[in-house]
Amino acid sequence: MILREFLYVDTDKVRALLAQLDGGIAEESRETERKERRTTVGPRSAAQHLQGTGSESYTNKSLGDALFPTLEEALEAELLLHDISEEASEVDLWESGTLKNKYPPGSLVRITAPGSLFDTRYAASVFAAFGYVNVGLKGIGASPSNEPQRAGKGKQAQQRPKPAKKSDGGGDQLEDAIPDFPAIEGTDGNTLRSFVQISKGVFTPGLHINLTPAKGALVSARLQEGRQYLDTEAEILFARYGTERQNWTLVGSIGSYGTEEAELPDTDFHNPDGSINRGEFAEAMNAQMRNLGRMGFIDLPQHPGFSLIPFAVYRAIPRSTELMQARP
């Protein structure tokens, strides 16, 4: 028996697949029972006595945590779900393209591998907190920076933090919350704001989970907000699970593999009469984005890895080794 601690479940997708496999999902049952006793008095049945008893039980059974395990077992029974954890740990299978050929986009897979969570919004908030801590420390004469502190001026020596300049895009940006503060070992407010700007391109703001089953291979999944279990703020999720790598299990369908195109795409999308070929134009733009994804500049899978459309993300609850050994 496997006990799962769910981080994410896309209940809509799970229900849809179960409905296709089983023709529907039974989530309620109703049972009715009734007994009657009839007594007749007199030769012509002039008087009758009717006594009845009845009972009705109704159970609304929400599958809850059992919903996804039911799907997982059904997919395995139909040979539709492939556990690729062991194969994905082999570097040669990634580099040779064996995994891509064996499990094309759309394949339903389960993979357990070391991975970590990442959210640009959380990184921005952490950097902002770090900046304000350093501003506060400098204000009380306890700055961790190498700059000597001037004593004897009290509150006059304290400086208010300078907020970051607003970007040209209009509106507040994530990096705008990071204040200017004294440089610490070469790191200052501008450096941290630059990190956040890079993060926004590499990983679109939102919660991502990144598995690294083998060196150089990344399996990434964007966890959509509003789904079951993913109902808390990013700060709480990271406070619970941290940023260190740990074993996670992802189940879902393969979205796409990272492109192997190494050359810059062709941008000739004109018809012979000079008009724009809409199909060619769309392909040219997609090719440009694939090229940026190959370089890791935008939120697309990078060769040889792939993106996963997640049905569920969980970690197995480990059993006590001592208790297992003590069992007869």
Side-chain angles (χ1 to χ4, degrees):
M1 180 180 181
I2 300 176
L3 290 179
R4 303 167 178 84
E5 180 186 356
F6 287 101
L7 171 67
Y8 175 88
V9 176
D10 190 332
T11 52
D12 292 340
K13 286 186 179 296
V14 171
R15 289 174 185 274
L17 287 174
L18 273 176
Q20 294 180 60
L21 289 170
D22 298 333
I25 308 172
E27 295 186 86
E28 67 178 41
S29 62
R30 187 185 300 270
E31 181 179 352
T32 303
E33 181 181 1
R34 185 171 183 82
K35 297 179 180 179
E36 291 185 359
R37 181 179 180 183
R38 188 183 301 272
T39 303
T40 302
V41 180
R44 298 181 178 274
S45 301
Q48 292 184 351
H49 175 70
L50 178 64
Q51 181 181 3
T53 61
S55 65
E56 181 176 353
S57 62
Y58 170 72
T59 303
N60 184 6
K61 181 182 178 182
S62 176
L63 294 180
D65 288 352
L67 186 66
F68 174 75
T70 301
L71 173 65
E72 200 171 20
E73 294 175 1
L75 290 175
E76 288 181 329
E78 296 292 335
L79 303 180
L80 293 171
L81 181 64
H82 311 280
D83 193 312
I84 65 171
S85 303
E86 186 173 347
E87 293 174 283
S89 64
E90 301 291 336
V91 177
D92 294 342
L93 298 183
W94 290 98
E95 295 179 348
S96 64
T98 301
L99 280 177
K100 183 177 181 179
N101 294 330
K102 189 174 181 180
Y103 306 106
S107 301
L108 302 184
V109 299
R110 177 177 58 223
I111 177 171
T112 301
S116 59
L117 305 175
F118 183 80
D119 192 333
T120 300
R121 300 169 300 181
Y122 179 68
S125 66
V126 168
F127 291 164
F130 175 78
Y132 277 102
V133 166
N134 283 282
V135 170
L137 289 174
K138 182 176 177 63
I140 63 175
S143 173
S145 68
N146 297 326
E147 296 180 0
Q149 301 298 312
R150 297 181 181 179
K153 292 189 177 181
K155 294 183 178 180
Q156 294 182 355
Q158 299 182 20
Q159 297 180 356
R160 297 180 63 85
K162 297 179 180 179
K165 295 181 179 180
K166 299 295 182 181
S167 63
D168 296 335
D172 292 339
Q173 302 294 319
L174 291 175
E175 63 271 18
D176 292 341
I178 303 174
D180 288 319
F181 59 90
I184 302 175
E185 298 182 356
T187 300
D188 56 12
N190 186 59
T191 301
L192 296 184
R193 288 192 290 270
S194 298
F195 280 139
V196 173
Q197 290 171 334
I198 296 172
S199 299
K200 289 196 300 183
V202 177
F203 292 101
T204 304
L207 186 62
H208 299 252
I209 184 166
N210 299 309
L211 301 187
T212 51
K215 184 178 181 180
L218 180 67
V219 177
S220 58
R222 170 73 183 275
L223 306 184
Q224 186 176 350
E225 296 179 357
R227 294 301 190 258
Q228 190 170 356
Y229 300 99
L230 193 62
D231 54 358
T232 187
E233 298 177 358
E235 288 81 359
I236 298 178
L237 283 174
F238 281 91
R240 291 173 177 173
Y241 299 108
T243 58
E244 296 293 328
R245 291 182 180 178
Q246 55 182 291
N247 278 342
W248 289 100
T249 298
L250 268 67
V251 179
S253 63
I254 296 178
S256 64
Y257 285 83
T259 183
E260 299 181 57
E261 300 173 3
E263 299 181 357
L264 290 176
D266 185 12
T267 56
D268 183 10
F269 45 79
H270 292 89
N271 291 318
D273 61 358
S275 61
I276 291 180
N277 185 310
R278 299 177 69 240
E280 292 295 333
F281 175 79
E283 177 56 29
M285 294 301 99
N286 284 333
Q288 291 283 358
M289 288 186 285
R290 288 196 298 270
N291 184 57
L292 294 175
R294 178 183 63 84
M295 296 186 289
F297 288 173
I298 61 175
D299 194 2
L300 284 177
Q302 193 173 27
H303 179 73
F306 59 79
S307 63
L308 195 71
I309 303 171
F311 300 163
V313 180
Y314 62 87
R315 60 183 184 181
I317 298 177
R319 297 180 181 271
S320 172
T321 305
E322 295 180 355
L323 291 178
M324 291 294 292
Q325 293 176 348
R327 282 187 175 182

